[in-house]
């Protein structure tokens, strides 16, 4: 592989040394996470790929996943590793299986040793997102994440940085605004033990849009304020993106609104001094493991 030739089309846009020194843990390799991992790996960012133990590509995944029929019935983790190496043979990749809720201590211990510059949260359940939020806070690691709204009408992407609002703060403030499937009420994100919403119905192109916005936020965090690959205000930590006009949300299609949500003093995750964080984490774990009413 001739790296000079490989990076020639993008070298004017990126600090290649900083890019290749970057380390991102991509947690979850579903239809969104596979794209986040592929785009970062293509550029040469060192990646830790994490997926649930025994997670295989199933036929219903294929219509929205980067992997195709040649990977049917095979490990998503192994197949995505091979896919990224095909995009960039020099890619620095490590793959691990963790159930981040049930194996949170093992997962956090491994993350601490691997030392990611950013954690890209690509899981699709609230308990897993809150568990990763706890880990990121204790590790002092920034996070990025995203969600596609039901029907592909739009979605959201977020970033968290140490000392600022964490995912728990963002989720609490968004609990009435997230778009749910028709006929369901708004999910109460202050009670993470409540049942999960149904799987989001959206097209591949809807998911890819949000995943690529998450990649931009991740690169901004890795490369520093001079990169400006996201092109959004430096203080913004949330973007709500509309694919089409949504009454009460966006009067225009293909439109993004940017927000700076503050830390929440009562947040169970980051609203306490660092010395109390482990105790708060215990409260969250208890809430996540409590049976739904």
């Amino acid at each position: 592989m001739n790296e000079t030739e490989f990076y020639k089309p993008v070298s004017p846009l990126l600090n290649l040394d900083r890019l290749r020194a970057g380390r991102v843990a991509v947690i979850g390799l579903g239809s969104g996470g596979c794209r986040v991992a592929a785009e970062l790996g293509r550029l040469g960012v060192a990646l830790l790929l994490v997926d649930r133990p025994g997670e295989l590509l199933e036929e219903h995944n294929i219509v929205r996943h980067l992997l195709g029929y040649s990977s049917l019935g095979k490990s998503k983790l192994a197949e995505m590793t091979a896919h990224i190496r095909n995009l960039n043979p020099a890619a620095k990749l490590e793959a691990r299986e963790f159930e981040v809720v049930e194996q949170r201590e093992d997962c956090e211990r491994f993350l601490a040793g691997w030392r990611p510059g950013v954690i890209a949260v690509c899981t699709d359940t609230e308990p897993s997102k809150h568990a990763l939020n706890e880990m990121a806070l204790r590790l002092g690691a920034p996070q990025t994440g995203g969600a596609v709204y039901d029907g592909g009408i739009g979605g959201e992407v977020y970033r968290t940085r140490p000392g600022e609002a964490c995912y728990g703060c963002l989720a609490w403030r968004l609990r009435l605004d997230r778009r749910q499937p028709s006929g369901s009420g708004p999910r109460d994100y202050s009670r993470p033990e409540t049942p999960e919403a149904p799987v989001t119905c959206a097209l591949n192109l809807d998911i890819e849009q949000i995943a690529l916005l998450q990649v931009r936020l991740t690169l901004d965090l890795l490369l520093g304020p001079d990169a400006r690959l996201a092109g959004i205000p430096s203080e913004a930590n949330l973007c709500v993106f509309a694919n089409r006009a949504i009454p009460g949300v966006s009067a225009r299609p293909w439109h993004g609104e940017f927000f700076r949500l503050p830390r929440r003093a009562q947040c169970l995750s980051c609203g306490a001094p660092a010395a109390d964080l482990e105790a708060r984490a215990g409260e969250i774990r208890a809430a996540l493991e409590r049976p739904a009413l």
Side-chain angles (χ1 to χ4, degrees):
M1 175 183 174
N2 183 330
E3 290 200 357
T4 301
E5 186 65 20
F6 179 84
Y7 285 105
K8 187 176 180 179
V10 300
S11 58
L13 303 173
L14 301 166
N15 182 324
L16 295 181
D17 290 337
R18 185 175 294 180
L19 183 76
R20 287 177 289 198
R23 296 168 69 82
V24 176
V26 180
I27 317 294
L29 293 176
S31 53
C34 68
R35 287 173 169 81
V36 172
E39 291 307 312
L40 293 172
R42 184 199 302 269
L43 291 174
V45 176
L47 297 180
L48 169 63
L49 306 179
V50 176
D51 209 8
R52 292 177 294 194
E55 189 74 7
L56 306 179
L57 188 76
E58 300 181 35
E59 191 162 16
H60 67 262
N61 300 138
I62 293 175
V63 72
R64 305 194 307 185
H65 207 279
L66 275 181
L67 299 175
Y69 272 94
S70 63
S71 299
L72 184 63
K74 299 178 183 178
S75 162
K76 287 182 184 177
L77 200 56
E79 292 296 291
M80 276 305 302
T81 299
H83 179 77
I84 294 169
R85 289 200 191 284
N86 185 54
L87 296 174
N88 183 345
K92 295 170 284 186
L93 305 174
E94 192 159 354
R96 286 290 185 277
E97 291 186 337
F98 288 112
E99 170 46 68
V100 298
V101 176
E102 296 175 5
Q103 298 176 284
R104 69 188 74 205
E105 292 181 1
D106 293 337
C107 183
E108 183 175 337
R109 191 178 303 114
F110 192 86
L111 285 172
W114 198 79
R115 294 182 297 175
V118 181
I119 297 175
V121 179
C122 303
T123 61
D124 56 5
T125 68
E126 285 304 307
S128 62
K129 291 179 181 181
H130 281 281
L132 289 166
N133 184 54
E134 293 175 35
M135 297 179 204
L137 286 168
R138 283 193 289 268
L139 296 173
Q143 304 172 74
T144 64
V148 177
Y149 297 149
D150 196 64
I153 59 175
E156 66 198 37
V157 289
Y158 67 85
R159 62 183 169 195
T160 73
R161 293 171 280 208
E164 300 180 5
C166 75
Y167 176 74
C169 301
L170 302 183
W172 185 87
R173 293 182 183 276
L174 285 167
R175 69 194 189 284
L176 298 179
D177 297 326
R178 282 186 166 132
R179 305 296 127 186
Q180 297 296 318
S182 58
S184 68
R187 178 175 168 80
D188 184 357
Y189 285 93
S190 67
R191 297 181 60 209
E193 76 276 12
T194 54
E196 290 299 317
V199 174
T200 299
C201 179
L203 297 175
N204 172 56
L205 57 90
D206 301 320
I207 296 166
E208 188 159 13
Q209 277 183 318
I210 298 302
L212 294 181
L213 291 175
Q214 183 179 353
V215 172
R216 288 182 180 274
L217 289 181
T218 303
L219 288 171
D220 254 18
L221 287 171
L222 277 182
L223 299 177
D226 295 337
R228 304 293 291 167
L229 290 175
I232 67 174
S234 60
E235 67 275 11
N237 55 8
L238 174 73
C239 170
V240 176
F241 181 81
N243 282 330
R244 50 188 180 270
I246 308 168
V249 177
S250 176
R252 293 186 289 160
W254 293 10
H255 179 64
E257 293 286 348
F258 308 110
F259 304 91
R260 182 186 184 279
L261 299 185
R263 289 181 67 176
R264 181 171 176 260
Q266 296 81 21
C267 178
L268 284 175
S269 295
C270 73
D276 297 335
L277 186 55
E278 184 58 42
R280 294 290 184 114
E283 294 179 42
I284 294 174
R285 283 196 288 271
L288 291 172
E289 292 162 1
R290 190 180 306 137
L293 297 176

